[in-house]
Amino acid sequence: MAFALSSMTVTCPDFGPDGQLHNRHTGEGADLSPALSWSGEPRGTQSFAVICHDPDAPQVKNGSYGFVHWVLYNLPTSTPHLDEGSDKGTHGTNDFGTSGYGGPMPPRGHGRHHYYFWVLALDQQLDLPAGLTLGELLEKVEPHLMGMNRLVGVYERG
């Protein structure tokens, strides 16, 4: 899948580009997904998907996107944002082996990690089943990808 950025913008009220994630969005805190908003999606967008991954994780394997913290999809265009801890959409399986958001908790002493919150704009509402992994989701949405962009936050375990 080509990760070519589009003119979409992704923002969070709690951190800016390369900003520090709040503790409540981590595995050390309340483990709540952050609030995200997006705009500037391509004309004809019919749905969205959201993913979060950490390419700095020591578990990164060749050909992977790093440690996957969130796989969310089946978001209609009437959803231009997600509230903190949102239960909207359909949850896939993260690399913790659970459904939903799993907040950052890098190994102690491993340094600062980068968390990529991607929003993908799709040309169809696909009605995909719950539980897809990131790889399965990308395989399903690639033919329908119209645009995408991300917000990167950082976190270092204390």
Side-chain angles (χ1 to χ4, degrees):
M1 170 176 236
F3 274 79
L5 300 179
S6 72
S7 61
M8 289 177 57
T9 59
V10 181
T11 60
C12 176
D14 294 317
F15 66 92
D18 294 318
Q20 180 73 26
L21 286 163
H22 192 282
N23 185 268
R24 71 180 178 272
H25 301 137
T26 73
E28 294 185 285
D31 213 13
L32 292 171
S33 59
L36 296 174
S37 296
W38 52 89
S39 61
E41 67 273 5
R43 186 184 314 252
T45 297
Q46 296 298 308
S47 66
F48 299 103
V50 174
I51 60 175
C52 175
H53 70 101
D54 169 9
D56 302 319
Q59 299 89 348
V60 172
K61 299 176 185 107
N62 289 337
S64 77
Y65 293 95
F67 194 88
V68 177
H69 288 268
W70 200 13
V71 180
L72 182 67
Y73 43 93
N74 295 336
L75 294 166
T77 54
S78 61
T79 307
H81 69 276
L82 295 170
D83 294 331
E84 182 179 74
S86 176
D87 62 356
K88 291 184 179 178
T90 303
H91 290 279
T93 302
N94 60 40
D95 283 349
F96 292 108
T98 61
S99 175
Y101 177 80
M105 201 159 115
R108 288 191 194 285
H110 201 260
R112 191 167 95 158
H113 283 223
H114 296 80
Y115 297 89
Y116 286 69
F117 291 87
W118 290 94
V119 177
L120 289 69
L122 308 173
D123 68 358
Q124 289 184 15
Q125 180 67 41
L126 299 175
D127 195 28
L128 298 170
L132 296 178
T133 64
L134 176 58
E136 292 167 335
L137 175 67
L138 294 178
E139 184 179 313
K140 301 281 187 192
V141 303
E142 185 174 19
H144 304 286
L145 185 62
M146 298 180 69
M148 61 192 301
N149 216 324
R150 83 282 190 249
L151 176 64
V152 180
V154 297
Y155 185 71
E156 182 172 356
R157 193 164 171 197

